[in-house]
Amino acid sequence: MSGEMEETRTAEEQQEMEDKVISPEKAEEAKLKARYPNLGAKPGGSDLLRKRLQKGQKYFDSGDYNMAKAKMKNKQLPSAPTEKTEITGGHIPTPQDLPQRKTSIVASKLAG
Amino acid sequence: MAGPGGDMQWCFSQVKGAIDDDVAEADIISTVEFNHTGELLATGDKGGRVVIFQQEIENKNQPQFRSEYNVYSTFQSHEPEFDYLKSLEIEEKINKIRWLPQKNAAQFLLSTNDKTIKLWKISERDKRPEGYNLKEDDGRYKDPNTITSLRVPVLIPMDLMVEASPRRVFANAHTYHINSISVNSDNETYLSADDLRINLWHLEITDRSFNIVDIKPANMEELTEVITAAEFHPHQCNTFVYSSSKGTIRLCDMRASALCDKHSKLFEEPEDPSNRSFFSEIISSISDVKFSHNGRYMMTRDYLSMKIWDLNMENRPVETYQVHEYLRSKLCSLYENDCIFDKFECCWNGNDSVVMTGSYNNFFRMFDRGHRRDVTLEASRENSKPMQVLKPRKVCAGGKRKKDEISVDSLDFNKKILHTAWHPQDNIIAVATTNNLYIFQDKVN
């Protein structure tokens, strides 16, 4: 890192640059916060964990169903922050949607 | 060229699975495990299927013997289910397979999906009875009036048939998703862990289990961490550990109390608060914990590193290995594409001198603890000529990229090696890419 221009930088800029050099993580965090200003302050906390615990949950209740229906009407492009913070309600249940998953009768290709 | 373990060089041995790039979701390999002798190698996939390979040693007397693993048995372990009451889709994906030590002619393994653990018996049949008194050879029943004499049926040889049958089904004990199972050294019990609870089972009893750890808070709003992995100590049947999403490991002693909510030891590396960022907790989440074979150490894998802990020292690991530190400056995009939540596993070699884990771009890493050497290798069809020596790979973190190096931005993050396994005695490793299983062995010079 060149030190030729040091005298022209303010102390603040110096600190920022040092931060970036010391912690690429903090630089990445700044990037993320710039893209998603609505991101919650507690990243590893309840929201993420609860999303993990609810993995596989398709439908919640009729209230969820109606909210999802309303959201689908207004839906444009999915925006990343919503995906990251919402826990349920993104999927409208219909009888056709109900999983009719059958066992894979095909043998594993590893055994081929 | 020397690699980990002195002059050890790794060579391609075999690759299993389809070549085509279009991967069916069911074919995604979700677990790989050698049995206690290394003769059998089991894989589980997202489609709920288990494939077991058996080692056939061509000629052990030859200086460069090739041990080939061929298909021994394959069966559907778990099927997709839908819990209508909770509106929960239960995946058939096999999360873990653990072998039981062999006690008789048959082999036993435990396989689990998110909710149900099953004990499978794999047995060989190479003889069949012939000469029944009441049945014809094709199975039709004879008219008893035509029987005039009695004979003793005899067993005659037949082509080897390997049968897998579910002997026990351990169900309905987990509200949350099972992430680990571990067979106890007492060979009678095993534990199963989900996000918030750990249960102790007896292998013979399916209708009940003991809850030994419960970290569910009374108010779910207060939830701050979940259990990510758990394992029994290899020799002490009263000891087990579990890791958390906050990067801590708790060691529990079942002799202390029936409910092991209070740990006996808490392993945690102090963090510099000034380094804390949005990503700190996420990347500190432990994705795998494994005891060393000798039972003196344990290894944990978090997103960027592997740490080896001395069980007698709780305040910091004794060794830390950077798996792919160059990803630290890519955390923002890795968070956006969810790769930051990838759960890498890790493993020890037979004598605990080398540890291994996977990375992206179908790279995997080995760290030689004694010689302080590490190497990056690649599992790829391009290096799949028989006994072809694997060339070490290098990732260029920044600045000028040398020839043969690959830059961080060129890494394929869809090609992840999450599951690896090391033969318990020999230098044979099984490395799973998305849908292929590679077997490598060291070149015996």
Side-chain angles (χ1 to χ4, degrees):
Chain A
M1 179 173 147
S2 71
E4 297 140 351
M5 307 250 289
E6 256 175 55
E7 58 275 7
T8 61
R9 293 196 199 106
T10 65
E12 239 179 50
E13 287 172 14
Q14 182 81 2
Q15 183 59 43
E16 230 177 73
M17 279 201 64
E18 276 172 12
D19 268 352
K20 266 197 190 160
V21 170
I22 292 168
S23 171
E25 247 180 78
K26 291 236 170 91
E28 290 294 299
E29 178 175 8
K31 233 193 269 180
L32 193 70
K33 290 239 157 96
R35 286 187 208 178
Y36 310 112
N38 298 326
L39 213 48
K42 269 216 301 196
S46 297
D47 274 356
L48 263 177
L49 289 180
R50 265 186 287 149
K51 194 169 141 189
R52 177 193 174 131
L53 293 181
Q54 285 185 317
K55 178 192 91 167
Q57 186 122 32
K58 277 279 185 264
Y59 323 117
F60 191 64
D61 59 14
S62 61
D64 212 10
Y65 174 87
N66 286 309
M67 274 182 64
K69 213 158 92 169
K71 201 180 283 181
M72 289 295 256
K73 280 208 188 117
N74 301 329
K75 205 166 185 176
Q76 292 145 347
L77 288 166
S79 50
T82 328
E83 276 169 17
K84 291 281 176 230
T85 53
E86 79 174 291
I87 293 161
T88 56
H91 190 114
I92 298 180
T94 63
Q96 299 93 285
D97 282 352
L98 274 175
Q100 299 291 332
R101 302 191 59 220
K102 295 197 175 72
T103 324
S104 34
I105 46 176
V106 181
S108 165
K109 294 201 179 108
L110 291 182
Chain B
M1 187 189 341
D7 290 323
M8 208 162 61
Q9 282 185 296
W10 289 97
C11 308
F12 171 84
S13 177
Q14 298 169 277
V15 62
K16 310 277 183 192
I19 302 174
D20 53 72
D21 280 333
D22 199 14
V23 182
E25 211 164 293
D27 292 325
I28 295 172
I29 299 172
S30 50
T31 185
V32 181
E33 187 82 355
F34 280 101
N35 77 334
H36 294 266
T37 61
E39 186 204 353
L40 298 175
L41 175 59
T43 60
D45 65 22
K46 223 173 170 202
R49 300 162 301 190
V50 170
V51 181
I52 302 174
F53 302 92
Q54 183 187 44
Q55 184 181 34
E56 278 157 44
I57 299 160
E58 271 178 20
N59 194 344
K60 209 155 184 177
N61 297 321
Q62 290 257 323
Q64 264 190 352
F65 80 94
R66 250 196 93 165
S67 17
E68 284 235 325
Y69 281 85
N70 300 314
V71 180
Y72 180 65
S73 171
T74 176
F75 54 92
Q76 186 78 36
S77 172
H78 287 72
E79 296 179 11
E81 291 173 60
F82 195 82
D83 181 338
Y84 291 98
L85 191 64
K86 294 184 197 165
S87 192
L88 193 70
E89 193 172 64
I90 302 170
E91 275 190 309
E92 68 274 37
K93 172 168 77 87
I94 309 295
N95 292 335
K96 285 279 161 24
I97 288 174
R98 288 290 181 264
W99 290 92
L100 268 58
Q102 193 173 11
K103 275 199 276 199
N104 52 39
Q107 299 278 358
F108 288 86
L109 61 79
L110 286 171
S111 72
T112 186
N113 68 350
D114 282 339
K115 294 286 178 181
T116 305
I117 307 127
K118 293 188 184 179
L119 177 70
W120 286 88
K121 176 179 178 182
I122 296 107
S123 46
E124 293 184 359
R125 193 195 290 266
D126 62 358
K127 296 187 247 305
R128 62 180 175 83
E130 208 178 61
Y132 282 113
N133 289 291
L134 300 175
K135 276 196 278 190
E136 304 282 1
D137 279 341
D138 60 8
R140 283 180 301 139
Y141 278 95
K142 283 183 184 167
D143 178 0
N145 299 318
T146 63
I147 298 166
T148 54
S149 63
L150 283 177
R151 56 182 175 169
V152 178
V154 291
L155 291 172
I156 59 161
M158 62 178 249
D159 285 339
L160 178 67
M161 202 165 77
V162 182
E163 302 168 320
S165 59
R167 304 303 288 173
R168 307 266 188 277
V169 178
F170 304 92
N172 303 320
H174 286 279
T175 308
Y176 303 98
H177 298 102
I178 299 174
N179 52 55
S180 313
I181 46 174
S182 177
V183 184
N184 204 348
S185 53
D186 68 6
N187 237 324
E188 285 186 345
T189 57
Y190 75 93
L191 63 75
S192 58
D194 67 33
D195 291 316
L196 297 178
R197 299 191 177 104
I198 301 179
N199 293 329
L200 180 72
W201 302 83
H202 191 286
L203 285 164
E204 300 289 323
I205 299 166
T206 57
D207 63 354
R208 74 194 74 175
S209 67
F210 286 104
N211 176 242
I212 51 177
V213 173
D214 189 339
I215 65 166
K216 185 177 179 190
N219 180 359
M220 282 298 269
E221 302 280 314
E222 288 163 13
L223 180 68
T224 54
E225 65 183 326
V226 294
I227 297 169
T228 52
E231 198 181 47
F232 265 120
H233 190 276
H235 314 133
Q236 294 163 19
C237 57
N238 52 282
T239 305
F240 67 93
V241 293
Y242 68 92
S243 57
S244 86
S245 52
K246 275 186 148 173
T248 62
I249 310 99
R250 286 173 178 79
L251 184 142
C252 302
D253 186 334
M254 295 196 292
R255 297 170 299 187
S257 67
L259 190 60
C260 297
D261 277 359
K262 251 179 108 173
H263 53 263
S264 298
K265 294 195 186 187
L266 173 65
F267 297 84
E268 188 173 14
E269 185 168 23
E271 193 199 3
D272 183 359
S274 64
N275 278 338
R276 198 157 173 83
S277 78
F278 175 87
F279 304 110
S280 299
E281 194 172 302
I282 302 173
I283 63 172
S284 71
S285 177
I286 292 170
S287 49
D288 195 15
V289 64
K290 291 263 171 48
F291 278 103
S292 61
H293 291 94
N294 62 20
R296 290 177 49 202
Y297 301 95
M298 67 178 173
M299 166 166 60
T300 56
R301 174 71 156 98
D302 52 69
Y303 190 61
L304 297 178
S305 69
M306 286 214 284
K307 294 178 182 170
I308 294 180
W309 304 78
D310 183 325
L311 294 183
N312 296 315
M313 190 162 77
E314 297 165 64
N315 59 353
R316 59 180 170 80
V318 288
E319 292 154 43
T320 301
Y321 300 107
Q322 302 301 335
V323 181
H324 36 217
E325 180 66 16
Y326 46 77
L327 294 183
R328 201 179 288 269
S329 52
K330 301 284 168 198
L331 292 176
C332 181
S333 14
L334 292 168
Y335 178 85
E336 288 179 291
N337 61 20
D338 273 351
C339 283
I340 205 174
F341 301 106
D342 283 337
K343 295 180 177 55
F344 292 95
E345 290 174 8
C346 55
C347 60
W348 299 83
N349 72 338
N351 62 11
D352 300 330
S353 59
V354 185
V355 294
M356 170 168 69
T357 189
S359 178
Y360 294 104
N361 209 68
N362 283 347
F363 286 172
F364 58 101
R365 303 265 283 135
M366 283 187 198
F367 299 88
D368 185 327
R369 301 173 62 207
H371 295 91
R372 292 173 188 276
R373 271 195 289 247
D374 64 86
V375 73
T376 304
L377 300 171
E378 182 181 1
S380 151
R381 295 247 174 199
E382 284 169 19
N383 310 320
S384 54
K385 284 200 279 288
M387 298 309 275
Q388 177 176 4
V389 176
L390 297 183
K391 203 175 76 161
R393 311 286 290 157
K394 191 119 201 292
V395 177
C396 170
K400 227 168 146 104
R401 186 180 74 89
K402 298 198 189 89
K403 185 176 89 114
D404 281 353
E405 282 186 359
I406 180 166
S407 78
V408 184
D409 297 312
S410 309
L411 294 174
D412 189 340
F413 290 97
N414 289 318
K415 292 189 176 164
K416 24 194 136 192
I417 290 178
L418 302 173
H419 313 287
T420 59
W422 205 306
H423 189 287
Q425 278 117 36
D426 300 333
N427 283 327
I428 301 169
I429 56 175
V431 173
T433 58
T434 307
N435 64 329
N436 283 176
L437 183 72
Y438 286 79
I439 299 169
F440 302 107
Q441 61 176 89
D442 73 336
K443 195 188 187 99
V444 182
N445 291 317

